[in-house]
Amino acid sequence: MTSAAPTRPPAGPAPMRPGASPMQGGAPTIDPIKILKKWKWALVAAVFVGVVLGVATNFVWGATYPFFQSTVVYEAMPPQDQTLLEAAQIDETALEQFMATQAARMLSPTVLEKATNDPRLLSEAPKWSSQFVTDTGFDSREAMNDLEERAKANPINGTFNIQLTVTWWDRNDVAAMAGLLKDAYMAELGDAKGRDNRQRRDAIQRAIDDIKQEITNLTERRSRLIRDEDVSSISEQSGTTRGKLQLIARDRNELLLEIRRMQVQLERMNEMLNSESGVRYSDTQRAMAENRPIVQGMKNEREGL
Protein backbone atom coordinates (compact mmCIF):
# COMPACT_ATOMS: atom_id res chain seq x y z
CA MET A 1 0.00 0.00 0.00
CA THR A 2 1.53 3.15 -1.07
CA SER A 3 0.96 6.64 0.26
CA ALA A 4 1.31 9.91 -1.74
CA ALA A 5 2.02 13.32 -0.36
CA PRO A 6 -0.89 15.73 -0.70
CA THR A 7 -0.46 18.36 -3.38
CA ARG A 8 -0.92 22.08 -2.58
CA PRO A 9 -2.82 24.31 -4.87
CA PRO A 10 -0.68 26.85 -6.77
CA ALA A 11 -0.24 30.19 -5.04
CA GLY A 12 -2.29 32.94 -6.61
CA PRO A 13 -1.80 36.68 -6.49
CA ALA A 14 -2.11 38.29 -3.10
CA PRO A 15 -5.34 40.16 -2.56
CA MET A 16 -5.10 44.01 -2.78
CA ARG A 17 -5.54 46.08 0.34
CA PRO A 18 -8.49 48.35 0.47
CA GLY A 19 -7.70 51.96 -0.58
CA ALA A 20 -4.47 51.05 -2.38
CA SER A 21 -4.12 51.69 -6.08
CA PRO A 22 -1.45 50.51 -8.42
CA MET A 23 1.30 53.12 -9.23
CA GLN A 24 1.95 53.89 -12.84
CA GLY A 25 5.61 54.05 -13.67
CA GLY A 26 6.63 54.88 -10.05
CA ALA A 27 5.61 58.72 -10.27
CA PRO A 28 3.46 60.27 -7.48
CA THR A 29 0.04 61.64 -8.39
CA ILE A 30 -0.55 65.47 -7.86
CA ASP A 31 -4.00 66.72 -7.02
CA PRO A 32 -4.30 70.40 -8.18
CA ILE A 33 -7.59 70.88 -6.37
CA LYS A 34 -6.02 70.06 -3.04
CA ILE A 35 -3.08 72.38 -3.73
CA LEU A 36 -5.42 75.21 -4.73
CA LYS A 37 -7.50 74.78 -1.59
CA LYS A 38 -4.36 74.67 0.56
CA TRP A 39 -2.80 77.87 -0.84
CA LYS A 40 -5.90 79.83 -1.86
CA TRP A 41 -5.46 82.60 0.76
CA ALA A 42 -1.80 83.05 -0.14
CA LEU A 43 -2.78 83.38 -3.80
CA VAL A 44 -5.49 85.92 -2.96
CA ALA A 45 -3.01 87.96 -0.91
CA ALA A 46 -0.44 87.83 -3.72
CA VAL A 47 -2.99 89.04 -6.25
CA PHE A 48 -4.06 91.91 -3.93
CA VAL A 49 -0.47 92.98 -3.26
CA GLY A 50 0.34 92.84 -6.96
CA VAL A 51 -2.62 95.03 -7.87
CA VAL A 52 -1.75 97.59 -5.21
CA LEU A 53 1.91 97.71 -6.22
CA GLY A 54 1.01 97.96 -9.88
CA VAL A 55 -1.35 100.89 -9.33
CA ALA A 56 1.12 102.66 -7.04
CA THR A 57 4.00 102.11 -9.46
CA ASN A 58 1.89 103.44 -12.32
CA PHE A 59 1.12 106.66 -10.43
CA VAL A 60 4.73 107.11 -9.29
CA TRP A 61 6.06 106.40 -12.75
CA GLY A 62 3.63 108.80 -14.35
CA ALA A 63 4.49 111.55 -11.85
CA THR A 64 8.26 111.19 -11.97
CA TYR A 65 9.14 110.08 -15.48
CA PRO A 66 10.38 111.42 -17.77
CA PHE A 67 12.37 114.20 -16.09
CA PHE A 68 13.14 117.43 -17.91
CA GLN A 69 15.86 119.86 -16.92
CA SER A 70 16.10 123.55 -17.70
CA THR A 71 19.52 125.16 -17.24
CA VAL A 72 20.68 128.76 -16.92
CA VAL A 73 24.42 129.53 -17.00
CA TYR A 74 25.88 132.71 -15.49
CA GLU A 75 29.39 134.10 -15.93
CA ALA A 76 30.86 135.19 -12.62
CA MET A 77 32.62 138.55 -12.56
CA PRO A 78 34.94 139.68 -9.75
CA PRO A 79 33.16 141.69 -7.04
CA GLN A 80 33.55 145.46 -7.04
CA ASP A 81 35.87 147.14 -4.61
CA GLN A 82 34.33 148.93 -1.65
CA THR A 83 35.84 152.30 -2.58
CA LEU A 84 36.39 152.05 -6.36
CA LEU A 85 33.85 151.02 -8.95
CA GLU A 86 36.39 149.14 -11.04
CA ALA A 87 36.66 145.34 -10.82
CA ALA A 88 38.99 144.45 -7.99
CA GLN A 89 42.01 142.23 -8.57
CA ILE A 90 41.43 139.13 -6.43
CA ASP A 91 43.07 135.75 -6.19
CA GLU A 92 41.66 132.42 -7.28
CA THR A 93 40.53 131.41 -3.80
CA ALA A 94 38.59 134.64 -3.36
CA LEU A 95 36.93 134.17 -6.75
CA GLU A 96 35.88 130.63 -5.83
CA GLN A 97 34.37 131.94 -2.60
CA PHE A 98 32.57 134.64 -4.56
CA MET A 99 31.14 132.08 -7.02
CA ALA A 100 29.99 129.83 -4.18
CA THR A 101 28.33 132.82 -2.51
CA GLN A 102 26.49 133.73 -5.71
CA ALA A 103 25.39 130.10 -6.22
CA ALA A 104 23.87 130.08 -2.74
CA ARG A 105 22.32 133.49 -3.40
CA MET A 106 20.46 132.12 -6.45
CA LEU A 107 18.43 129.87 -4.13
CA SER A 108 18.22 132.24 -1.18
CA PRO A 109 14.84 132.79 0.51
CA THR A 110 14.63 136.27 -1.03
CA VAL A 111 15.06 134.95 -4.59
CA LEU A 112 12.70 132.00 -4.03
CA GLU A 113 10.08 134.32 -2.57
CA LYS A 114 10.29 136.66 -5.56
CA ALA A 115 9.99 133.74 -7.99
CA THR A 116 6.99 132.10 -6.31
CA ASN A 117 5.18 135.40 -5.82
CA ASP A 118 5.65 136.40 -9.45
CA PRO A 119 2.17 136.89 -11.00
CA ARG A 120 3.34 135.08 -14.16
CA LEU A 121 3.86 131.80 -12.29
CA LEU A 122 0.26 130.53 -12.46
CA SER A 123 0.00 131.11 -16.21
CA GLU A 124 3.50 130.08 -17.31
CA ALA A 125 3.85 127.00 -15.05
CA PRO A 126 0.21 125.94 -14.51
CA LYS A 127 0.82 122.23 -13.83
CA TRP A 128 3.47 122.76 -11.19
CA SER A 129 1.79 125.74 -9.50
CA SER A 130 -1.62 124.02 -9.37
CA GLN A 131 -0.28 121.75 -6.60
CA PHE A 132 -0.18 124.72 -4.25
CA VAL A 133 -3.52 126.32 -5.04
CA THR A 134 -5.88 125.91 -2.08
CA ASP A 135 -9.30 127.22 -1.15
CA THR A 136 -7.65 130.18 0.53
CA GLY A 137 -5.33 131.01 -2.38
CA PHE A 138 -1.81 130.18 -3.49
CA ASP A 139 0.43 128.64 -0.81
CA SER A 140 3.70 130.38 -1.66
CA ARG A 141 5.50 128.91 1.35
CA GLU A 142 5.00 125.32 0.16
CA ALA A 143 5.87 126.39 -3.37
CA MET A 144 9.15 127.87 -2.11
CA ASN A 145 10.06 124.63 -0.33
CA ASP A 146 9.27 122.50 -3.38
CA LEU A 147 11.13 124.81 -5.76
CA GLU A 148 14.16 124.78 -3.48
CA GLU A 149 14.25 120.96 -3.69
CA ARG A 150 13.91 120.92 -7.48
CA ALA A 151 16.50 123.62 -8.19
CA LYS A 152 20.28 123.31 -7.91
CA ALA A 153 22.99 125.95 -8.36
CA ASN A 154 26.68 125.06 -8.48
CA PRO A 155 29.89 126.54 -9.92
CA ILE A 156 31.24 124.69 -12.95
CA ASN A 157 34.73 123.40 -12.19
CA GLY A 158 37.51 124.93 -14.21
CA THR A 159 35.42 127.87 -15.43
CA PHE A 160 34.05 131.20 -14.23
CA ASN A 161 30.48 129.96 -14.80
CA ILE A 162 27.68 129.09 -12.40
CA GLN A 163 24.96 126.67 -13.51
CA LEU A 164 21.36 126.92 -12.27
CA THR A 165 19.29 123.79 -13.01
CA VAL A 166 15.58 123.10 -12.38
CA THR A 167 14.14 119.57 -12.77
CA TRP A 168 10.50 118.51 -13.24
CA TRP A 169 8.42 116.21 -15.42
CA ASP A 170 6.79 118.86 -17.66
CA ARG A 171 9.12 120.54 -20.13
CA ASN A 172 7.11 123.76 -20.45
CA ASP A 173 6.66 124.26 -16.72
CA VAL A 174 10.31 123.53 -15.91
CA ALA A 175 11.45 126.09 -18.48
CA ALA A 176 9.11 128.69 -16.96
CA MET A 177 10.30 127.87 -13.42
CA ALA A 178 13.96 128.33 -14.43
CA GLY A 179 13.12 131.59 -16.18
CA LEU A 180 11.30 132.98 -13.16
CA LEU A 181 14.22 132.01 -10.90
CA LYS A 182 16.61 133.73 -13.29
CA ASP A 183 14.52 136.92 -13.35
CA ALA A 184 14.21 136.90 -9.56
CA TYR A 185 17.99 136.52 -9.12
CA MET A 186 18.75 139.32 -11.60
CA ALA A 187 16.20 141.55 -9.87
CA GLU A 188 17.89 140.87 -6.53
CA LEU A 189 21.28 141.78 -8.04
CA GLY A 190 19.77 145.01 -9.40
CA ASP A 191 18.34 145.89 -6.00
CA ALA A 192 21.69 145.25 -4.33
CA LYS A 193 23.52 147.33 -6.94
CA GLY A 194 20.98 150.13 -6.50
CA ARG A 195 21.59 150.12 -2.76
CA ASP A 196 25.36 150.27 -3.28
CA ASN A 197 25.03 153.10 -5.81
CA ARG A 198 22.80 155.08 -3.44
CA GLN A 199 25.39 154.72 -0.70
CA ARG A 200 28.16 155.89 -3.04
CA ARG A 201 26.06 158.79 -4.32
CA ASP A 202 25.30 159.83 -0.76
CA ALA A 203 29.01 159.73 0.07
CA ILE A 204 29.84 161.86 -2.99
CA GLN A 205 27.07 164.31 -2.16
CA ARG A 206 28.43 164.71 1.37
CA ALA A 207 31.91 165.32 -0.08
CA ILE A 208 30.45 167.95 -2.44
CA ASP A 209 28.71 169.68 0.46
CA ASP A 210 31.96 169.68 2.44
CA ILE A 211 33.84 171.19 -0.52
CA LYS A 212 31.20 173.90 -0.93
CA GLN A 213 31.46 174.75 2.73
CA GLU A 214 35.25 174.85 2.50
CA ILE A 215 35.07 177.19 -0.52
CA THR A 216 32.73 179.45 1.43
CA ASN A 217 35.09 179.45 4.39
CA LEU A 218 38.08 180.26 2.19
CA THR A 219 36.21 183.09 0.49
CA GLU A 220 35.25 184.58 3.84
CA ARG A 221 38.82 184.21 5.04
CA ARG A 222 40.13 186.11 2.02
CA SER A 223 37.63 188.92 2.55
CA ARG A 224 38.49 189.07 6.22
CA LEU A 225 42.21 189.19 5.46
CA ILE A 226 41.83 192.10 3.05
CA ARG A 227 39.52 193.96 5.39
CA ASP A 228 41.63 193.47 8.53
CA GLU A 229 44.89 194.51 6.84
CA ASP A 230 43.23 197.53 5.17
CA VAL A 231 44.95 196.88 1.84
CA SER A 232 43.21 199.77 0.09
CA SER A 233 44.88 202.33 2.35
CA ILE A 234 48.38 200.91 2.41
CA SER A 235 51.05 203.22 1.17
CA GLU A 236 53.49 201.68 -1.22
CA GLN A 237 56.14 204.13 0.09
CA SER A 238 56.52 202.23 3.39
CA GLY A 239 58.85 199.24 3.45
CA THR A 240 56.93 197.63 6.28
CA THR A 241 53.66 198.11 4.48
CA ARG A 242 55.18 196.75 1.27
CA GLY A 243 56.22 193.57 3.10
CA LYS A 244 52.73 193.13 4.49
CA LEU A 245 51.27 193.71 1.06
CA GLN A 246 53.46 190.99 -0.41
CA LEU A 247 52.41 188.53 2.30
CA ILE A 248 48.77 189.38 1.74
CA ALA A 249 49.16 189.00 -2.03
CA ARG A 250 50.82 185.62 -1.59
CA ASP A 251 48.11 184.38 0.77
CA ARG A 252 45.49 185.71 -1.59
CA ASN A 253 46.99 183.84 -4.53
CA GLU A 254 47.20 180.63 -2.52
CA LEU A 255 43.58 181.00 -1.51
CA LEU A 256 42.55 181.64 -5.09
CA LEU A 257 44.39 178.54 -6.25
CA GLU A 258 42.80 176.48 -3.48
CA ILE A 259 39.35 177.77 -4.38
CA ARG A 260 39.97 176.97 -8.04
CA ARG A 261 41.13 173.47 -7.18
CA MET A 262 38.02 172.94 -5.06
CA GLN A 263 35.79 174.19 -7.87
CA VAL A 264 37.39 171.80 -10.39
CA GLN A 265 36.98 168.91 -7.98
CA LEU A 266 33.37 169.92 -7.41
CA GLU A 267 32.68 169.96 -11.15
CA ARG A 268 34.17 166.47 -11.55
CA MET A 269 32.12 165.08 -8.71
CA ASN A 270 28.96 166.61 -10.17
CA GLU A 271 29.77 164.97 -13.51
CA MET A 272 30.20 161.61 -11.78
CA LEU A 273 26.99 162.08 -9.83
CA ASN A 274 24.97 162.91 -12.96
CA SER A 275 26.58 160.31 -15.23
CA GLU A 276 24.09 157.91 -16.81
CA SER A 277 26.56 155.03 -16.69
CA GLY A 278 26.93 155.33 -12.93
CA VAL A 279 29.57 156.71 -10.62
CA ARG A 280 33.15 156.29 -11.88
CA TYR A 281 36.41 157.57 -10.44
CA SER A 282 39.39 159.01 -12.24
CA ASP A 283 42.89 157.57 -12.11
CA THR A 284 43.97 160.39 -9.83
CA GLN A 285 41.21 159.64 -7.36
CA ARG A 286 42.04 155.94 -7.41
CA ALA A 287 45.69 156.73 -6.72
CA MET A 288 44.70 159.03 -3.85
CA ALA A 289 42.46 156.32 -2.41
CA GLU A 290 45.15 153.65 -2.70
CA ASN A 291 47.71 155.90 -0.96
CA ARG A 292 45.53 156.39 2.08
CA PRO A 293 46.97 154.78 5.23
CA ILE A 294 43.93 152.56 5.82
CA VAL A 295 44.09 151.15 2.28
CA GLN A 296 47.83 150.58 2.52
CA GLY A 297 47.29 148.79 5.83
CA MET A 298 44.68 146.48 4.28
CA LYS A 299 47.02 145.67 1.39
CA ASN A 300 49.85 144.84 3.79
CA GLU A 301 47.56 142.56 5.80
CA ARG A 302 46.46 140.75 2.65
CA GLU A 303 50.07 140.27 1.51
CA GLY A 304 50.93 139.01 4.97
CA LEU A 305 48.25 136.31 4.63
Side-chain angles (χ1 to χ4, degrees):
M1 191 174 162
T2 61
S3 61
T7 60
R8 296 180 179 178
M16 297 179 62
R17 294 181 181 179
S21 59
M23 300 178 63
Q24 301 294 330
T29 303
I30 299 175
D31 189 349
I33 303 299
K34 289 183 178 180
I35 294 176
L36 184 62
K37 289 181 178 180
K38 181 179 180 181
W39 298 102
K40 63 180 180 180
W41 297 115
L43 293 174
V44 171
V47 171
F48 178 77
V49 172
V51 171
V52 171
L53 289 177
V55 173
T57 303
N58 182 65
F59 277 104
V60 172
W61 192 265
T64 60
Y65 184 85
F67 281 118
F68 294 96
Q69 284 188 343
S70 184
T71 302
V72 181
V73 178
Y74 302 87
E75 182 181 2
M77 302 298 293
Q80 292 180 336
D81 190 81
Q82 295 295 328
T83 56
L84 303 178
L85 293 182
E86 296 295 333
Q89 297 294 328
I90 56 177
D91 56 21
E92 184 177 351
T93 302
L95 182 58
E96 290 178 356
Q97 293 175 351
F98 172 73
M99 293 173 64
T101 300
Q102 293 303 312
R105 191 176 189 177
M106 292 176 187
L107 299 179
S108 64
T110 302
V111 173
L112 292 172
E113 184 177 4
K114 286 184 177 181
T116 53
N117 288 327
D118 194 307
R120 298 173 297 172
L121 178 63
L122 296 176
S123 60
E124 295 186 4
K127 296 180 181 179
W128 179 78
S129 60
S130 62
Q131 306 174 86
F132 313 106
V133 177
T134 63
D135 296 336
T136 58
F138 183 73
D139 191 347
S140 61
R141 181 61 58 181
E142 288 296 326
M144 286 176 56
N145 295 335
D146 188 79
L147 184 57
E148 185 177 11
E149 294 179 357
R150 299 186 182 279
K152 304 295 180 184
N154 297 293
I156 302 176
N157 294 331
T159 69
F160 296 128
N161 297 332
I162 304 173
Q163 179 173 283
L164 172 66
T165 304
V166 182
T167 305
W168 206 52
W169 60 269
D170 185 87
R171 68 176 68 195
N172 296 322
D173 282 30
V174 76
M177 293 156 63
L180 293 174
L181 265 179
K182 184 247 320 176
D183 293 343
Y185 171 67
M186 298 305 295
E188 173 62 18
L189 286 184
D191 294 343
K193 185 176 181 180
R195 290 191 296 268
D196 292 341
N197 284 340
R198 283 194 297 271
Q199 293 177 356
R200 290 185 172 95
R201 289 178 185 274
D202 292 341
I204 291 177
Q205 188 61 55
R206 288 192 297 269
I208 290 174
D209 294 339
D210 293 341
I211 291 174
K212 287 181 177 179
Q213 184 62 42
E214 189 171 354
I215 291 175
T216 301
N217 295 337
L218 290 173
T219 304
E220 293 178 353
R221 178 185 171 188
R222 183 190 64 177
S223 301
R224 219 172 25 250
L225 183 61
I226 295 175
R227 183 183 63 249
D228 294 342
E229 296 296 337
D230 194 14
V231 174
S232 59
S233 61
I234 295 178
S235 174
E236 296 183 359
Q237 302 298 324
S238 172
T240 303
T241 304
R242 186 179 297 109
K244 289 183 179 180
L245 183 59
Q246 292 175 352
L247 292 175
I248 293 173
R250 186 186 62 185
D251 291 342
R252 181 176 179 274
N253 291 333
E254 290 178 356
L255 290 174
L256 288 174
L257 291 175
E258 183 68 17
I259 291 173
R260 179 55 185 167
R261 186 185 66 81
M262 294 289 183
Q263 288 175 340
V264 171
Q265 187 175 359
L266 179 61
E267 291 175 358
R268 290 179 179 176
M269 288 188 173
N270 280 324
E271 291 176 358
M272 290 189 294
L273 188 63
N274 298 325
S275 175
E276 295 181 357
S277 60
V279 179
R280 303 190 66 83
Y281 294 93
S282 64
D283 295 336
T284 303
Q285 290 172 317
R286 293 193 194 96
M288 292 176 62
E290 292 179 354
N291 291 328
R292 291 182 177 177
I294 186 172
V295 176
Q296 293 294 330
M298 294 174 64
K299 287 185 176 180
N300 293 333
E301 290 180 2
R302 188 178 67 178
E303 293 176 356
L305 296 177

